[in-house]
Every structure is written in structure tokens, then in C-alpha cells.
Amino acid sequence: MIQATAVSTKKSTLSPIFIIGMLFFIFGFITWLNSVLIPYLKLACELTTVEAYLVTTAFYISYFVLAIPSAGILKVTGFKKGMSVGLGVIAVGALIFIPAALTRYYGLFLFGLFVQGSGLALLQTASNPYITILGPPESAAKRISIMGVCNKVAGALAPIILGAITLKNADGLKERLATMAPAAKIAELNELASRVILPYIVIVIVLLILAVVIYYSSLPEVDTDQEDESTAISNSGKTSITQFPHLLLGVVTLFFYVGAEVIAGDTIINYGSTQGIALGTAKFFTTGTLIFMLVGYGVGILCIPKYLSQEKAMKLSAGLGLILSAVAILTTGYVSVGAVALLGLANSLVWPAIWPMALAGLGRFTKIGSSLLIMGIAGGAIVPLAYGALAQALNPSHGYIILIPAYLIILYYAISGHKVGKAKLSLEQL
């Protein structure tokens, strides 16, 4: 069993869970701001649909680039100091938004998003295995579901708060811009771009304060290199993470899952506007997606593992995702948008299930295995961009065709992919 210092009793886990919960709140708030930034920057920087979805590409590709280096950083700093460093990096990325807004230069916005994603990659590399290890393996999905509540509550608030500032009177502005003289148009767009400055100054301050709090907190270190006897025997002779095919398949599954989750949350505002729904109304749609995710997390907290195994929860999620994707593709208007929002429910229990299933039996390979899973988050960079290309080439609803193979891969992993190469390993060997 992987050893966790000072986390052996229920009492001793309360403080670490609270601290990690704060971090997951930050993950959610920063990440789901993208759903507003896509339509906002499309308008402010005069972008095409594909260009606008580079927001997700710049943000999520950082996970692929920084995941392995993050594991190296954590070896030097440990979990607690590494988390503080990650928060500082996110603050730097948020600070870059100020000159980006002043110049209205889209490339600088994308660079700021990449830096923010880099900080989040470090935080996620530390926090996800930490919460997985912080208690019995069979209830790991429940603990991750609790973290998901923190994440998605923040995610539900973020687009409402930023949308109220950046997309205020956006529909009227779109109409006025079409008839404005060039000089007046530039002035209006500069004013629109400047709306993000104050919110991101506040974000920088909050991140730096939290970095100091984490640095001086009582968060215990976790030793992921020690193995119990059964895990050590199973891993004897293994020298590479590539000898754990269930982990590698988990990375592929996570790649497509994150792509599906980002599509459900980040495309829905822009998609709603293509269905004739005013941006003033559509700006609330991401919150709807995240509310459905919260409902799903509630089910996970109540039912896993007592009534529902992690594997079965993942199968049900994949099946529901396939059904809702078909509805989104084959319908239009509020029905189609509603199906996209309900994907939040389908997605809710996939992330909590993948982590314990993929990390099962890794023992001393847990840190590098976690880093590879974090690399899988890069699916949020590629899959939504593919949606944007399909939406532009076909039509916005048919762009959701990309979700069908994603949910089929998730279903495969839930049924048999997580067993490949594990022989007689079980979650109890983690």
C-alpha cells in the first residue's frame, strides 16, 4: 500500500481534504472561465469559429507539455511547496491578460492561457493522486466526487461572474459593430477588451494569497514510492511505466473524456448563440452544464461504493453520453442545447472513476503514472478544436459527432480496458 504520512485516521484527513478542496475550487474557477472567453474573445478580437476555439487549445496543451516536468518539480519541492509554485504560475498567466487586453492582441491572450494551464498542470499532478491515496482505494471515486463538487461549484460561478462583466450588452454591441465607422469600431472593441483587466487583477491577488496559505499549511507529504508486499511482488522486474497497459489505456480514455467535458461546457454558450439564442441568455448555459455535473457528483458521493461500483458508474456515464450526443446532433434549438447541458450529468462520474482504476497497482510508478494521466488532459486542446472545425465545415449541431467515438472509448475502458495487463491486481493493491 502507498504510505501517506499523518493521514491514517478520519480526523487527520479532514484538514488535507479541505485544503485540496480549495485547490479544486481554483481549478474549476480558472478552467471554466474559458466558456466565456471563447465568445468574448471572438467578438473582441474579431475571430473565426476555429480561431476562437484556440482558447481551449492554448490552455489544455500546456498539460501535455508540462505534465512530465511537473513530476520532476514535485520530486524536488514535495507536494505542498509544489502546489504553492503552481498557484504562483497561474497568477503570472492571469497577469499576462492585462497587457493582452490593453493591446487587444489575441496571441498574448493565448500565451496567458498557456501559462495558466501550466500552473494547473503542476497543481493537478500533485492533487489528483493525493486525494486518490488519501484513504481506502475502493472509496477513491467518492473522495474525488467531493473534490468535483468544489470544482464545479466554482465552475458554475465563474461564467456568470465573468459573463456579467465581459458580455454585458454584447448582443447590442454586435449589432452596432456591423454599422460602425472603422475608428469608432476600434474604440468600442478596445473598451470591450479592457473589461477583463479588473477581474484578472482580483484573480492574481487571490491566487497569491492562497499560495502563501498553502505554503504555510499543515498539509502532510505523501510517500508514493513505498509499496506493500503484494504490490512489490507484482511489480518486481518492472522497469517502465509502459509495462502497465491499463494505465496507458487510461491516459487515452482521459484524453477523450476531457475533450468531451470541455466540449459540453465550453462550446455551449457559443452554440446557443448559433441557435438564435441571445448571448445575454446563453451566457448561463455553462452553469447549467456544471449544475448537472454537480447532480452526478452527488450521486457518486451517496452511491459509490455502497450501491454502485466505480466501473458500473463509468459504464452508465458512457451510455448516457452516447444517447445525449445523438440528441444534440439530430435536433436543434433548446432541445439540442439542453442535450449538451445534460452531458454534464453523463460526464460527472468518469473522471472520479478513471483515476483509481488507472493508478491501481502502480506502486512506485504512481508519480509518473499520474503525470501521464495529466498529459491526457491535453484532450481538451485537441477534441474541442476538432469540434470547431466540424461545426464550421458542416453545422454547429453536427460538430458534436466528435463525441460519439469519445464515449465509445470511455465505455470500452469501463468494460474491459481497465483490466488489460493487470492480471490479478485489484484496487486494494494500490
Side-chain angles (χ1 to χ4, degrees), residues 322-342:
L322 287 168
I323 293 169
L324 291 171
S325 297
V327 174
I329 293 164
L330 298 173
T331 61
T332 57
Y334 276 100
V335 173
S336 183
V337 172
V340 176
L342 279 165

Side-chain angles (χ1 to χ4, degrees), residues 51 115 123 167 188 206 209 244 261 263 266 346 362 364 386 426:
E51 288 171 340
V115 174
L123 284 175
L167 296 179
E188 283 280 6
V206 171
I209 291 173
F244 296 89
E261 181 185 299
I263 284 174
D266 282 2
L362 264 61
R364 65 184 182 276
S426 67

Side-chain angles (χ1 to χ4, degrees), residues 7 37 43 72 81 105 107 121 127 162 165 200 234 237 241 275 333 385:
V7 292
L37 289 175
L43 183 59
K81 291 180 181 178
Y105 179 51
S127 61
L162 189 64
I165 298 170
Y200 274 84
S234 298
I241 195 67
Q275 299 299 298
L385 194 62

Side-chain angles (χ1 to χ4, degrees), residues 44-69:
C45 297
E46 301 179 280
L47 308 173
T48 66
T49 299
V50 173
E51 288 171 340
Y53 284 109
L54 287 173
V55 164
T56 61
T57 302
F59 187 83
Y60 287 101
I61 201 66
S62 59
Y63 286 93
F64 182 84
V65 176
L66 270 296
I68 299 298

Side-chain angles (χ1 to χ4, degrees), residues 65-301:
V65 176
L66 270 296
I68 299 298
S70 292
I73 292 170
L74 291 175
K75 274 189 173 292
V76 175
T77 64
F79 283 106
K80 186 168 69 172
K81 291 180 181 178
M83 290 173 186
S84 293
V85 172
L87 288 165
V89 174
I90 300 171
V92 172
L95 198 62
I96 292 171
F97 266 47
I98 297 173
L102 293 173
T103 59
R104 201 160 55 86
Y105 179 51
Y106 187 45
L108 203 49
F109 278 114
L110 294 179
F111 179 63
L113 287 163
F114 177 84
V115 174
Q116 290 174 53
S118 300
L120 281 168
L122 179 57
L123 284 175
Q124 297 244 35
T125 302
S127 61
N128 282 288
Y130 193 99
I131 200 66
T132 299
I133 294 164
L134 202 66
E138 64 273 10
S139 60
K142 176 184 285 190
R143 293 191 298 279
I144 299 176
S145 291
I146 294 171
M147 296 301 102
V149 170
C150 299
N151 183 280
K152 296 311 181 291
V153 166
L157 294 173
I160 293 177
I161 295 171
L162 189 64
I165 298 170
T166 60
L167 296 179
K168 184 179 180 181
N169 301 321
D171 296 294
L173 177 59
K174 284 173 69 176
E175 294 178 3
R176 293 198 307 274
L177 287 173
T179 58
M180 278 184 180
K185 183 178 181 179
I186 291 172
E188 283 280 6
L189 291 176
N190 286 341
E191 188 279 327
L192 178 63
S194 70
R195 294 181 188 180
V196 296
I197 293 177
L198 181 59
Y200 274 84
I201 288 175
V202 173
I203 288 171
V204 169
I205 294 170
V206 171
L207 288 170
L208 293 177
I209 291 173
L210 187 56
V212 174
V213 170
I214 296 292
Y215 187 87
Y216 290 104
S217 73
S218 58
L219 192 70
E221 284 299 330
V222 175
D223 185 357
T224 59
D225 293 331
Q226 293 188 31
E227 300 174 332
D228 63 17
E229 185 178 354
S230 59
T231 303
I233 292 171
S234 298
N235 291 346
S236 62
K238 291 186 176 179
T239 57
S240 170
I241 195 67
T242 59
Q243 293 170 294
F244 296 89
H246 74 282
L247 179 276
L248 301 179
L249 287 170
V251 173
V252 174
T253 303
L254 195 76
F255 178 94
F256 283 97
Y257 160 69
V258 172
E261 181 185 299
V262 172
I263 284 174
D266 282 2
T267 69
I268 192 170
I269 295 176
N270 199 55
Y271 178 58
S273 69
T274 69
Q275 299 299 298
I277 301 169
L279 278 172
T281 301
K283 69 184 180 184
F284 296 104
F285 290 165
T286 294
T287 299
T289 302
L290 297 176
I291 287 173
F292 284 122
M293 289 197 82
L294 284 170
V295 171
Y297 283 130
V299 171
I301 292 167

